[in-house]
Amino acid sequence: MRLVSVVVPVYNEEKGIERFCLKELFPELKKLENYSLELIFINDGSPDKTLEKLNSLIKDPSAPKTTKIISFSKNFGKEAALTAGFRLAKGDCAISLDSDGQQPPSLIPKFLEKWESGARIVTGVRDGYTKHGLIPRLGSKLFYKLLKMMGNNSTVPGSTDFRLLDRVALDEFNALTEHSRITRGLIDWLGFRQEYIKYRYGTRIAGRPAYNLKKLFRLAIDSFVSMSSTPLVIFGYVGIIITVLSFLLGVFCLINQYLLGDPLGLYWPGAVHMAILITFLVGLVLISQAITAIYISNIYTEAKNRPLYIIDKENSKL
Ligand code: UDP
Ligand code: MG
């Protein structure tokens, strides 16, 4: 029987965790009779009673036989929690899902079905918007637009951390060593063909989301910076435009005033010449900054030490 690992990050979910486990997760896992199961909770340093509740929940007869709780020393964030879960997972595949009920465990069989028919990675995609309020909505739209502009074409808008990775994808993911990490982004970077499952992002069983607008903004910036060096280079292009324009303006000014004796009658004072010169120099500074940025980005790429390539399949005639 194939082993399926289920990875669940948990942070401050004391109010909802019992209902989630007893009413949703455990019953759904029970239905998967054709698989061996391994359930891994990562308690991400919850200061509330989450850990105590988990400790008693795993004793419940409906919990899978192999159920582990890994408890962090403090809150390291969901990305670290997922990474720990994937590294610990021994399964032939691993499925990650939230512990607040927003990613319905009833979809797990669908994920497994796609895996059985050959998918290396299955990704849950939010159907429509769940975030309330104009700013988060617009923010989410802008985020995916920018991500695309920066050359990331592999991330489908609305894709979530509700994912399945087969053993090959898991091993490749676990080999990535960088510290500043966005799980979704890294999984997409692996490049394997993905299958998608659309689902309605439910409402939280209880408690409040740990990600407020400030944290989401930070996450978005991290996504951009860790996946691409484009933000650094944009200013270089601005610099080139400024330099070229101010250079042309300077040449025009010189010719008009000193060679032709101002036939246009502009009477530009010295301050204008000064302004043109300063703009020109600002352009040069921006360009040189961008060049430095490219060096830094190359150092960053080396430091991340991602594999040069990832092999999907092999076939040989022997
Ligand atoms: N979570 C975590 N560590 C954190 C924040 C969240 O492990 O620092 C868990 C949380 O318990 C939940 C999942 O990650 O299972 C998603 O968190 P949340 O519901 O706050 O985010 P959202 O649903 O808004 O993406
Ligand atoms: Mg949530």
Side-chain angles (χ1 to χ4, degrees):
M1 244 197 303
R2 300 224 271 177
L3 178 66
V4 174
S5 304
V6 179
V7 172
V8 185
V10 197
Y11 176 64
N12 277 355
E13 305 281 5
E14 63 173 7
K15 291 205 184 89
I17 193 69
E18 276 160 336
R19 220 193 108 190
F20 173 71
C21 287
L22 299 174
K23 292 264 174 332
E24 297 187 22
L25 186 62
F26 294 171
E28 284 304 329
L29 295 181
K30 196 129 223 136
K31 289 186 203 156
L32 306 174
E33 283 159 349
N34 299 329
Y35 299 97
S36 302
L37 283 172
E38 171 191 52
L39 174 59
I40 305 172
F41 288 109
I42 315 291
N43 169 37
D44 186 10
S46 313
D48 66 355
K49 295 215 164 52
T50 300
L51 184 58
E52 291 161 40
K53 298 225 158 149
L54 280 175
N55 280 333
S56 63
L57 275 167
I58 65 168
K59 291 193 201 114
D60 193 273
S62 64
K65 264 197 216 77
T66 317
T67 304
K68 292 180 197 156
I69 304 168
I70 309 299
S71 218
F72 283 175
S73 61
K74 63 162 199 183
N75 179 240
F76 282 98
K78 186 183 173 186
E79 309 306 323
L82 284 175
T83 301
F86 284 145
R87 286 189 185 163
L88 288 163
K90 296 200 189 76
D92 297 297
C93 75
I95 300 174
S96 58
L97 81 164
D98 286 357
S99 52
D100 57 5
Q102 291 191 289
Q103 303 177 345
S106 55
L107 284 173
I108 291 176
K110 268 197 177 172
F111 278 74
L112 291 171
E113 223 171 80
K114 299 236 181 213
W115 171 54
E116 291 287 1
S117 47
R120 283 226 187 289
I121 298 175
V122 188
T123 300
V125 180
R126 264 187 341 220
D127 196 5
Y129 288 101
T130 48
K131 301 237 186 304
H132 298 295
L134 193 66
I135 293 176
R137 271 181 188 219
L138 284 179
S140 162
K141 254 207 157 112
L142 189 71
F143 173 74
Y144 287 108
K145 273 246 153 65
L146 284 174
L147 212 60
K148 204 162 193 149
M149 266 169 65
M150 290 178 191
N152 179 341
N153 292 317
S154 49
T155 299
V156 168
S159 48
T160 61
D161 286 328
F162 195 1
R163 302 230 173 182
L164 179 149
L165 273 69
D166 80 343
R167 190 71 248 171
V168 173
L170 263 181
D171 287 342
E172 295 294 353
F173 178 85
N174 291 340
L176 301 176
T177 53
E178 62 212 75
H179 284 92
S180 163
R181 49 173 54 220
I182 307 293
T183 312
R184 284 169 253 185
L186 284 182
I187 296 175
D188 292 340
W189 179 84
L190 292 177
F192 298 119
R193 200 173 57 82
Q194 301 188 13
E195 293 277 343
Y196 298 94
I197 291 180
K198 278 206 165 180
Y199 70 100
R200 270 215 77 74
Y201 205 67
T203 43
R204 263 186 161 271
I205 292 180
R208 293 209 283 131
Y211 287 93
N212 52 25
L213 212 55
K214 199 168 137 205
K215 263 188 160 177
L216 280 175
F217 188 67
R218 176 80 236 189
L219 198 70
I221 298 279
D222 271 355
S223 304
F224 294 146
V225 174
S226 69
M227 301 311 286
S228 136
S229 55
T230 319
L232 302 168
V233 180
I234 287 174
F235 287 99
Y237 289 123
V238 174
I240 291 174
I241 295 170
I242 291 179
T243 310
V244 170
L245 288 182
S246 54
F247 178 76
L248 292 178
L249 203 59
V251 170
F252 165 77
C253 180
L254 283 178
I255 295 176
N256 174 57
Q257 194 143 342
Y258 298 107
L259 280 183
L260 306 176
D262 200 9
L264 299 172
L266 295 174
Y267 304 112
W268 277 354
V272 171
H273 302 176
M274 211 53 186
I276 294 173
L277 183 67
I278 290 172
T279 317
F280 178 72
L281 292 177
V282 167
L284 285 187
V285 170
L286 282 179
I287 293 174
S288 72
Q289 266 193 354
I291 292 172
T292 316
I294 292 169
Y295 281 110
I296 295 174
S297 124
N298 285 349
I299 296 171
Y300 184 49
T301 309
E302 292 297 325
K304 277 192 287 193
N305 202 16
R306 291 208 187 146
L308 280 181
Y309 52 82
I310 287 171
I311 296 173
D312 190 4
K313 295 180 191 96
E314 282 176 56
N315 186 8
S316 59
K317 185 183 146 198
L318 260 184

